[in-house]
Amino acid sequence: MAKKLVGSPIDIGIDEKSRKAIAKGLSELLADSYSLYLMTHNFHWNVRGPMFNTLHAMFMNQYTEQWNALDLIAERIRALGEPAPGTYKEFAKLTSIKEVEGTPKALDMVRHLVKAQEATAKTARKLFPEVDKANDQPTADLLTQRLDVHEKTAWMLRSILEE
């Protein structure tokens, strides 16, 4: 259980109940984002086959973008006055993304990443009603930016799978 801050209470125009609910949703987004980051980095390291150069470089761009997003999400949770999850145990409880075992073939990696990108987008999208109700524009902006990235990345990955 997190300690209450001694001193100045948070007074940003969002009530405590709403801040906690939004932070919970953002914690789920952070867990999905971290799981997606880890999956993408793993696939970057382990991809093989005729598409090696293309996928190796693409996965690197994707995991680098994902890594940078983790901080933005965690810092928004903190700005709302809640602790950001930061352990594998917490992420495992919060994520909607299933861990991939073994080393899939290259196109199966792409399929897994499409699903993980889409799952992360759905996690971000489901938070909008709470964010809208609380009139929380900074979180809405963060969610919109993340949705744009995840939907575009899923589209690009799906394009690889087309005949």
Side-chain angles (χ1 to χ4, degrees):
M1 184 131 172
K3 286 184 177 182
K4 289 279 184 192
L5 292 175
V6 178
S8 180
I10 297 173
D11 184 17
I12 59 172
I14 302 173
D15 64 81
E16 183 177 7
K17 182 179 175 190
S18 295
R19 284 188 288 108
K20 285 185 179 298
I22 293 167
K24 181 184 180 301
L26 286 171
S27 293
E28 292 169 358
L29 178 61
L30 182 61
D32 276 1
S33 298
Y34 192 85
S35 298
L36 174 59
Y37 158 78
L38 199 56
M39 180 188 295
T40 309
H41 210 150
N42 173 30
F43 291 169
H44 164 79
W45 289 329
N46 290 300
V47 69
R48 300 181 318 269
M51 295 182 62
F52 171 81
N53 283 333
T54 301
L55 293 178
H56 186 72
M58 176 186 259
F59 294 164
M60 184 171 69
N61 289 336
Q62 290 172 5
Y63 79 68
T64 301
E65 191 285 329
Q66 198 63 39
W67 178 257
N68 292 326
L70 296 173
D71 219 37
L72 299 173
I73 300 165
E75 287 176 356
R76 185 63 193 150
I77 295 167
R78 296 296 299 129
L80 292 168
E82 295 298 314
T87 66
Y88 290 117
K89 186 176 182 178
E90 289 173 298
F91 289 152
K93 279 192 231 174
L94 293 167
T95 191
S96 69
I97 297 173
K98 302 292 181 234
E99 191 170 331
V100 176
E101 299 205 13
T103 306
K105 294 186 182 295
L107 290 180
D108 288 332
M109 289 178 176
V110 173
R111 286 182 188 90
H112 285 295
L113 288 172
V114 168
K115 287 181 185 175
Q117 290 284 349
E118 291 174 342
T120 307
K122 287 188 275 190
T123 298
R125 183 169 273 108
K126 78 177 183 180
L127 187 52
F128 269 108
E130 188 70 41
V131 169
D132 289 342
K133 187 174 78 176
N135 201 25
D136 180 0
Q137 293 88 356
T139 301
D141 183 52
L142 174 64
L143 294 173
T144 301
Q145 290 177 42
R146 298 313 310 148
L147 278 168
D148 184 51
V149 168
H150 295 298
E151 290 176 359
K152 183 177 181 181
T153 303
W155 156 63
M156 290 181 171
L157 289 164
R158 274 192 311 274
S159 295
I160 292 170
L161 300 172
E162 291 180 7
E163 296 283 326

